[in-house]
């Protein structure tokens, strides 16, 4: 355990800092310790030039051009190895979202068929979606319509030719045209995944440009049959989020309650946990607790936060620390971003770590199986187990950091439009477009993705946000990055103190028209799959303006990215023509070709995503420098649209 | 270039040795040079404990337990990392075969619909298959029946529940029972692939036992919707192989012919190349050549060899050397095992390297696109290009090793049964079973898989075969390993000199009953996907005996394995209850749990594949030692069946 590094250098979150000290005292290892233990990282791995695809190797190729092998045993060059590895990584990012979407659609299907105990809460969304899909809506029962919608979605896992239905549904026409010309329109999500793996297999595709196009295609699979499909199915099942007030930080764990943390990504699990926590609340009181308290971690948090206002304990890097409070009776996990170490940490306390998905088992965890049909059984069983553990809690080891921070969330596109409609009922997007056109809003940047023990937790996410806000850039946020902003008041009207005057004026005007002191400077739009909502917002703005998404003065950023999902989501946005910043570099620097194709940094190669799609990858570890790189690109796009720029307004930065 | 190592230590193949010297003289780098350049290999990679799944790492875990990190940053242990990496590797092995099968079935479908210019040559197979699938056959046109069969196969890429149709079609009932009890029956090949990737993704499945069951499930996907489906579709399209005589070694390239090498795996490509080479043979003569000569490499070779008697130049490790003869006008590649270095080597000669599959592009190669519809256009274009290059050949640089070796191939199960039927028309398997029961055939070992520049080419394959033959073990062979045996006379009756007396007697009896001097001691059963034929043979024998496949005195071996496909095929056979030897270790030694689960080598863990399935992995680099390990297991299985054993016969080894 590395006790020499002050905890203030590991995380910005004071609650996490406090719990790291507790972990050190109790001799419990965390990801922050293990991150230091892996330094220095293998440079072959970091730069993408390590290949373990077959048993001739493993092969390590030169990454600096001066020594070592130039080709793997099969003859693969650095360009080929890096491109193949990146495609594998993007597939590993997209596949979990695709499977998430498929689980959601099967749940909807079973609900529609009367087999699964969920209520279809998003009837409006269902009807809108059915109409968008061209289905006949009138005179149909909700369940019959839901079944039709789910079966339409299922085609994206079965069709053998043609184009993904969800891409046709959600893609902007101008973008679809670009993708069609490049021959990267996906057919069927599962087929594309198998096909991509076939490309990367030993002795298969070696053309790095073709591999790069495969990467962009996988970005479209991620975007449409991963993100969009997940959000659409979940909005139908659980309702479209609306503005809601909630709390952030470890202090949301309550000493006098039975505490259950939901962690992972799949709301079909976490919605049932909260439902049963309400049903069994009295039993908690019978045990002497004040009730049952559900807190969220990662995107399970986001799903419940957006729709139910459930409070958020923390985000990815400090997930173990929630257990170290000693006050969690259960941590319920489903899929993705679940540290395998959780079982070991939970074992130091009375906390029961419970896995739920049939396909995602955790070593050392107990398992209460979720299937759509068994959802109630699962929910009840999990909550009952937590109740059993409450009396086992060792009060002497309980230490819950005290503070919490207020946040406003629930900013679905539907909610944003509703808020804007108070300013212009007929043309709700117009006030936003006018604010952008006038330069009151310089542009929009999505801050999304993760935290990463390699980066001081929450620091890069919040620093980037604040620098952008200062320059009148509106922030939309999702995932664990949104949690970073939430913990530090940037999802609250209090965050206006960080904004440039022009942006603050717009946010105040919209907020006050809706009975709020102001809108927060960062609009929390949901979980990682809800990056679909950000895409919907961009497409709506672009369509209203009559331009392509690639022309908009917008960008994306993942300052503390760790998950390949952040890369696959980023690839989707680059394919849309949106620049994407990452604060932790992808393993691409071993190949000048791949690096330049994605970043357009050097002039050696002809083809870049910037030219083909209008978007590029920007790697920059310093969040303030990154903010200005994004602002420069936004200004460039503003100029191309003929919009006023900061120099015209006499305010480059506050 | 490593000129210090004598070529006789790199390969057993005298033609390859000669061409390696030519490569050295001409300063052309080959895989044999690059293999030495990568030594020593990264131990983290070799033992499976390197993880590059996310941007927290890369992480390297201790592989010997004495120093270094015990867990990755996320907390993943060596067991978890090794199991996840192995599942990824098995997916990368299975996916190319699954995509191969899907391409074959789509070709059949388009042929049936009259869209693609192939003749359905395997009408008998089509009818048998349709009956086995429970389809109504009587009164149907061939095309209508073919369409029904192809659509039945397509369900295995579309169904969302239930069990793979091809597994139900080809799996032995007793094995299916075992797989069902373990919950590993696959549903849909693409779904299982996506699902496996979801399991391996960062923060998803961490239970190594569950991951190991995922590996076994992927083995079943490989076996049924990869191997079996490919063979079945191809036999319908191109006919079921029959006994055919052919030639082996580099000498099959002919100085006075236009030479085209077909390399890869997909017969839909190579069948059209040979068809057009015949159609355009006169044009070669017009150029002063004696004609057009097609030679094969890897499994494209096997497909044409089995059905058309096309000669084989060489196998995987020496694929570059075929170009170095200076006498190839074109090398046509499709998918899998294509060294990315080929373009660089071809560039040193007049040889045109031509890729064909829309999804598999090669850097530096020209591309003539194959689709089922465009197959004739592709075939003609490729052969015409080769004709154009013939006059460009630099005769001064032509050096073709002179010798060739005769081989008998085409041993489909149907052919084997037909040969046996001359001994017993009513019950053709009985003579074989009696020979096994009496100990004239001690057992059957399949020698399959690759060559690998890490191992002296052809040496381990042939040494293992000879040691087994000496001990009266009948060899069946496929893939590049079969090529090794072919090059050294073990696919010819001349190979009887290596056999034990009892085995030689059986082979002579069966051969002479069919007008041959003898059967060869190794029966070449086809390409790597044709390991399905070996499975069919085992199932037929087991069913005839009324036992499970796991009880048979048989084993598999891949002495020079390099491809993950060899591992996924091996997994399939282990799931059937067949022991599988590999001569190059899989990256599993970093995890005692995974290693022991697969090899049953140590006693620490309860569950092994040996107990669950009846088969295990045997790693042994020394082929003679490996032969005796396999013989020991065969004798154990013989004893369990109550069959006589070598000690009873007074002949442990000749």
């Amino acid at each position: 355990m590395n006790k020499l590094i002050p905890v203030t250098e590991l995380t910005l979150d004071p609650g996490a800092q406090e719990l790291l000290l507790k972990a050190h005292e109790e001799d419990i290892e965390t990801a922050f310790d293990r991150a230091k233990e892996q330094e220095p990282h293998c440079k072959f791995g970091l730069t993408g030039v390590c290949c373990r695809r077959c048993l001739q190797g493993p092969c390590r190729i030169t990454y600096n051009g001066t020594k070592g092998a130039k080709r793997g045993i099969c003859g693969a060059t650095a360009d080929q190895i890096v491109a193949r590895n990146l495609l594998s990584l993007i597939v590993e990012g997209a596949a979990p979202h695709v499977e998430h979407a498929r689980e959601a659609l099967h749940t909807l299907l079973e609900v529609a068929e009367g087999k699964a105990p969920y209520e279809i809460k998003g009837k409006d969304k269902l009807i809108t979606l059915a109409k968008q899909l061209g289905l006949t809506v009138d005179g149909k029962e909700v369940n019959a319509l839901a079944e039709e919608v789910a079966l339409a979605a299922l085609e994206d896992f079965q069709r053998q030719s043609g184009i993904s239905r969800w891409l046709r549904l959600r893609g902007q026409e101008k973008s679809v045209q670009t993708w069609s010309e490049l021959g990267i329109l996906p057919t069927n999500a599962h087929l594309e995944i198998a096909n991509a793996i076939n490309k990367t297999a030993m002795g298969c595709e070696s053309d790095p440009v073709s591999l790069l196009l495969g990467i962009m295609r996988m970005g479209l699979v991620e975007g449409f049959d991963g993100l969009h499909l997940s959000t659409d199915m979940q909005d139908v099942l659980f309702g479209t989020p609306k503005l809601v007030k909630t709390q952030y930080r470890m202090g949301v764990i309550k000493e006098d309650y039975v505490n259950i943390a939901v962690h992972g990504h799949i709301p079909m699990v976490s919605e049932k946990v909260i439902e049963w926590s309400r049903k069994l609340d009295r039993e908690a009181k019978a045990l002497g607790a004040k009730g049952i308290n559900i807190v969220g971690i990662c995107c399970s948090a986001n799903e419940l936060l957006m729709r139910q206002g459930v409070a958020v304990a923390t985000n990815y890097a400090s997930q173990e620390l929630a257990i170290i409070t000693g006050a969690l009776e259960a941590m319920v996990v489903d899929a993705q971003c679940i540290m395998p170490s959780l079982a070991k940490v939970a074992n130091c306390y009375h906390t029961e770590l419970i896995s739920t998905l049939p396909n995602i088992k955790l070593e050392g965890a107990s398992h209460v199986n979720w299937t759509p049909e068994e959802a109630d059984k699962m929910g009840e069983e999990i909550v009952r187990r937590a109740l059993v553990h409450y009396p086992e809690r060792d009060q002497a080891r309980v230490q819950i950091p005290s503070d919490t921070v207020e946040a406003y969330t629930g900013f679905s596109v539907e909610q944003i439009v509703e808020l804007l409609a108070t300013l212009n009922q007929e043309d709700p997007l117009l006030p936003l477009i006018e604010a952008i056109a006038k330069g009151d809003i310089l542009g929009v940047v999505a801050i999304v993705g993760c935290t990463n023990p390699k980066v001081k937790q929450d620091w890069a996410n919040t620093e980037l946000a604040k620098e952008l806000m200062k320059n009148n850039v509106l922030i939309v946020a999702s995932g664990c990055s949104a949690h970073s902003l939430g913990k530090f008041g940037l999802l609250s009207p209090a965050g206006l103190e960080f904004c440039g005057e022009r942006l603050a004026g717009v946010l105040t005007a919209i907020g006050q028209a809706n009975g709020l002191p102001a809108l927060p400077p960062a609009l929390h739009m949901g979980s990682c799959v809800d990056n679909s909502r950000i895409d919907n917002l961009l497409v709506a703005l672009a369509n209203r303006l009559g331009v392509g998404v690639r022309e908009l003065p917008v960008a994306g950023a993942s300052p503390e990215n760790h998950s390949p999902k952040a890369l696959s989501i980023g690839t989707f946005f680059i394919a849309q023509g949106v620049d994407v910043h990452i604060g932790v570099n992808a393993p691409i620097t071993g190949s000048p070709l791949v690096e330049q194709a994605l970043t357009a940094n050097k002039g050696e190669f002809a083809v870049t995503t910037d030219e083909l799609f209008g978007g590029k990858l920007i790697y920059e570890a310093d969040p303030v420098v990154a903010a200005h790189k994004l602002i420069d690109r936004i200004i460039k796009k503003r100029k191309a649209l003929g919009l006023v720029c900061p120099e015209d307004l006499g305010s480059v930065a506050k």
Side-chain angles (χ1 to χ4, degrees), chain A:
Chain A
M1 202 162 303
N2 198 323
K3 297 181 186 177
L4 298 174
I5 300 169
V7 294
T8 50
E9 287 185 21
L10 299 175
T11 173
L12 199 66
D13 178 345
Q17 289 170 2
E18 183 182 334
L19 291 166
L20 271 176
L21 292 174
K22 181 167 189 273
H24 288 177
E25 279 161 23
E26 298 186 355
D27 209 27
I28 297 172
E29 181 192 86
T30 70
F32 295 95
D33 303 308
R34 293 189 298 267
K36 298 302 161 198
E37 208 179 7
Q38 286 294 336
E39 290 175 359
H41 293 275
C42 169
K43 283 198 177 168
F44 296 101
L46 273 182
T47 59
V49 290
C50 155
C51 184
R52 300 191 262 97
R53 283 184 197 282
C54 76
L55 305 187
Q56 296 171 90
C59 292
R60 292 173 291 189
I61 308 301
T62 183
Y63 58 90
N64 58 13
T66 57
K67 58 177 182 174
K70 295 279 185 294
R71 287 172 175 260
I73 292 172
C74 69
T77 63
D79 289 339
Q80 294 163 354
I81 291 173
V82 169
R84 283 195 310 208
N85 284 346
L86 185 61
L87 179 51
S88 294
L89 208 56
I90 300 298
V91 171
E92 282 197 34
H97 286 149
V98 163
E99 289 306 278
H100 179 159
R102 196 173 59 88
E103 273 158 8
L105 91 79
H106 276 289
T107 304
L108 181 62
L109 191 59
E110 297 201 25
V111 171
E113 291 169 349
K115 294 179 195 162
Y118 293 88
E119 184 195 339
I120 293 178
K121 290 185 183 161
K123 294 191 181 66
D124 292 352
K125 177 75 176 236
L126 173 65
I127 289 165
T128 310
L129 188 54
K131 285 180 182 165
Q132 288 166 334
L133 286 165
L135 304 176
T136 306
V137 170
D138 291 346
K140 277 195 189 131
E141 298 283 334
V142 166
N143 278 1
L145 200 57
E147 187 177 26
E148 273 191 62
V149 166
L151 290 174
L154 196 54
E155 286 172 27
D156 277 2
F157 298 86
Q158 298 177 314
R159 77 174 70 252
Q160 297 292 307
S161 59
I163 302 162
S164 152
R165 181 103 180 230
W166 242 251
L167 183 145
R168 286 178 281 145
L169 179 70
R170 296 284 178 232
Q172 199 203 18
E173 209 173 304
K174 292 188 185 219
S175 301
V176 176
Q177 185 63 29
T178 302
W179 304 329
S180 173
E181 283 162 12
L182 290 166
I184 61 167
L185 287 170
T187 293
N188 151 343
H190 279 172
L191 185 155
E192 299 299 347
I193 287 170
N195 208 276
I197 306 212
N198 188 27
K199 275 176 179 284
T200 65
M202 190 276 136
C204 286
E205 186 144 284
S206 70
D207 178 22
V209 174
S210 188
L211 286 162
L212 281 163
L213 288 171
I215 287 165
M216 301 312 292
R217 182 195 289 254
M218 195 47 53
L220 300 182
V221 172
E222 161 69 279
F224 296 107
D225 285 316
L227 309 182
H228 276 289
L229 187 56
S230 295
T231 300
D232 284 336
M233 295 295 106
Q234 292 175 177
D235 278 359
V236 170
L237 278 168
F238 305 116
T240 301
K242 292 188 155 293
L243 186 60
V244 66
K245 209 168 151 183
T246 188
Q247 302 287 321
Y248 264 99
R249 293 201 184 180
M250 291 290 186
V252 304
I253 300 171
K254 296 182 194 163
E255 191 158 357
D256 38 11
Y257 280 72
V258 175
N259 290 301
I260 303 175
V262 291
H263 173 26
H265 291 77
I266 313 295
M268 290 82 82
V269 170
S270 45
E271 285 274 353
K272 280 292 169 189
V273 173
I274 195 161
E275 185 182 325
W276 279 94
S277 77
R278 286 165 186 160
K279 286 182 181 165
L280 300 177
D281 200 60
R282 274 195 197 172
E283 305 205 15
K285 286 177 178 140
L287 291 170
K290 286 188 177 163
I292 301 173
N293 180 43
I294 306 291
V295 300
I297 299 173
C298 287
C299 279
S300 289
N302 279 319
E303 299 288 353
L304 292 190
L305 165 89
M306 292 285 285
R307 296 195 183 88
Q308 309 247 16
V310 165
V312 180
T314 196
N315 47 11
Y316 176 78
S318 48
Q319 58 185 266
E320 295 160 299
L321 300 179
I323 300 175
I324 289 170
T325 59
L328 288 188
E329 275 59 55
M331 181 180 274
V332 183
V333 301
D334 43 64
Q336 304 168 37
C337 296
I338 315 296
M339 287 187 186
S341 58
L342 288 175
K344 197 179 165 200
V345 178
N347 216 24
C348 302
Y349 300 91
H350 72 301
T351 312
E352 183 170 355
L353 179 70
I354 306 172
S355 63
T356 52
L357 297 190
N359 193 41
I360 309 286
K361 304 271 170 67
L362 268 68
E363 188 175 8
S366 55
H367 186 78
V368 180
N369 206 49
W370 173 86
T371 62
E373 299 89 338
E374 294 175 293
D376 271 329
K377 201 177 132 208
M378 176 212 70
E380 181 174 3
E381 171 71 18
I382 285 171
V383 175
R384 290 201 180 280
R385 288 194 189 192
L387 290 169
V388 167
H389 296 310
Y390 181 68
E392 299 164 7
R393 194 193 287 179
D394 180 354
Q395 292 296 349
R397 287 181 69 202
V398 171
Q399 179 182 338
I400 305 173
S402 58
D403 60 339
T404 62
V405 175
E406 185 183 270
Y408 287 82
T409 74
F411 291 96
S412 59
V413 175
E414 292 83 343
Q415 177 63 83
I416 292 170
V417 169
E418 200 180 310
L419 292 166
L420 291 169
T422 57
L423 301 179
N424 186 333
Q425 185 68 38
E426 294 302 300
D427 191 357
L429 289 177
L430 191 62
L432 186 59
I433 284 168
E434 284 174 344
I436 292 170
K438 281 194 288 179
D440 289 348
I441 294 175
L442 186 69
V444 182
V445 169
I447 301 185
V448 307
C450 328
T451 58
N452 182 336
K454 263 185 187 170
V455 180
K456 182 176 169 178
Q457 188 188 19
D458 301 327
W459 167 79
N461 285 329
T462 53
E463 286 301 301
L464 181 84
K466 288 192 270 185
E467 190 65 21
L468 289 168
M469 289 170 183
K470 190 167 82 178
N471 285 278
N472 298 302
V473 173
L474 176 66
I475 304 301
V476 292
S478 67
C480 279
S481 290
H483 293 329
S484 293
L485 308 187
K487 289 183 195 176
F488 292 91
L490 303 177
L491 301 182
S492 143
L496 250 65
E497 64 168 305
F498 301 106
C499 295
E501 274 174 33
R502 292 171 169 274
L503 176 63
V506 176
L507 294 171
T508 305
I510 303 172
Q512 290 186 351
N514 287 281
L516 299 168
L519 284 190
L523 304 181
H524 187 339
M525 295 190 72
S527 64
C528 286
V529 293
D530 289 339
N531 283 309
S532 60
R533 301 190 199 280
I534 295 173
D535 185 48
N536 281 338
L537 182 65
L538 300 186
V539 170
L541 285 173
N543 285 344
R544 174 61 189 78
L545 277 165
V547 300
V549 170
R550 63 192 283 169
E551 296 171 72
L552 294 175
V554 301
S558 189
E560 303 180 24
N561 57 305
H562 90 259
S563 171
K565 293 180 289 174
L567 295 182
S568 54
I569 294 168
T571 305
F572 171 55
F573 279 96
I574 290 173
Q576 298 271 32
V578 176
D579 294 330
V580 172
H581 158 251
I582 49 174
V584 177
N585 213 352
I588 58 172
T589 56
S591 162
L593 185 148
V594 174
E595 188 179 19
Q596 199 241 327
L598 292 171
T599 64
N601 266 345
K602 296 160 202 155
E604 292 168 59
F605 300 100
V607 181
T608 66
T609 57
D610 196 19
E611 291 163 69
L612 295 179
F613 300 93
K616 64 178 183 175
L617 188 69
I618 298 167
Y619 162 63
E620 175 53 60
D622 183 317
V624 174
V625 175
H628 286 283
K629 287 185 179 177
L630 295 178
I631 289 168
D632 288 348
R633 284 283 283 189
I634 283 171
I635 290 173
K636 202 175 156 195
K637 293 198 175 184
R638 287 187 71 91
K639 283 185 177 156
L641 283 172
L643 303 180
V644 291
C645 288
E647 56 266 34
D648 310 318
L649 299 166
S651 65
V652 177
K654 200 174 151 185

